[in-house]
Amino acid sequence: MSESELGPEDRKIVTLARSVRARNGVAEGAAVRDATGRTYAAGTVGLPSLRLSAVRAAVAMAVASGAESLEAVAVVTEALAAGDEDLAAVRDLAGPGTPVFVAGPDASLRAVLST
């Protein structure tokens, strides 16, 4: 799947993830969309006492706001894929087949993973 094949809502979360990464100057930016259409965006958290990937931070924000399930996830990163811990966090809220869009810093789509 190419970036041009993404629907408008999926393009939106990729854009949000890229914006968080750029604005905050962090290694990764992520955005999730819950089953009601609300979106949550977060960057990498790198405190001495708390370390979270952007995906896990965005999932935590969604849960803290009352989300019960996820429709889609996007992460903008230098990595070629989402990490196992990130995918596990997504699976905690997402059903089978929930897409995880992995994009590079320029927002070019690198992979679409399925939970």
Side-chain angles (χ1 to χ4, degrees), residues 9-10 32-37 69-73 93-94 97-99 101:
E9 292 301 310
D10 294 335
V32 301
R33 184 176 61 247
D34 73 11
T36 65
S69 64
L70 298 178
E71 282 187 350
V73 177
L93 279 187
T98 298
F101 304 107

Side-chain angles (χ1 to χ4, degrees), residues 82-107:
D84 291 338
E85 289 179 335
D86 291 344
L87 295 175
V90 171
R91 278 188 216 103
D92 286 344
L93 279 187
T98 298
V100 177
F101 304 107
V102 180
D106 62 353

Side-chain angles (χ1 to χ4, degrees), residues 16-30 41-46 54 57 61:
L16 284 171
R18 183 176 186 225
S19 296
V20 167
R21 182 180 184 272
R23 181 178 58 248
N24 297 342
V26 292
E28 294 180 338
T44 308
V45 176
M61 289 176 65

Side-chain angles (χ1 to χ4, degrees), residues 1-96:
M1 174 181 278
S2 72
E3 186 178 353
S4 64
E5 294 175 281
L6 293 178
E9 292 301 310
D10 294 335
R11 280 195 306 270
K12 176 183 171 183
I13 63 170
V14 171
T15 300
L16 284 171
R18 183 176 186 225
S19 296
V20 167
R21 182 180 184 272
R23 181 178 58 248
N24 297 342
V26 292
E28 294 180 338
V32 301
R33 184 176 61 247
D34 73 11
T36 65
R38 293 179 298 181
T39 56
Y40 307 88
T44 308
V45 176
L47 298 172
S49 62
L50 179 63
R51 297 205 175 278
L52 290 174
S53 70
V55 169
R56 285 180 279 153
V59 168
M61 289 176 65
V63 170
S65 296
E68 296 181 6
S69 64
L70 298 178
E71 282 187 350
V73 177
V75 59
V76 174
T77 179
E78 294 282 347
L80 297 178
D84 291 338
E85 289 179 335
D86 291 344
L87 295 175
V90 171
R91 278 188 216 103
D92 286 344
L93 279 187

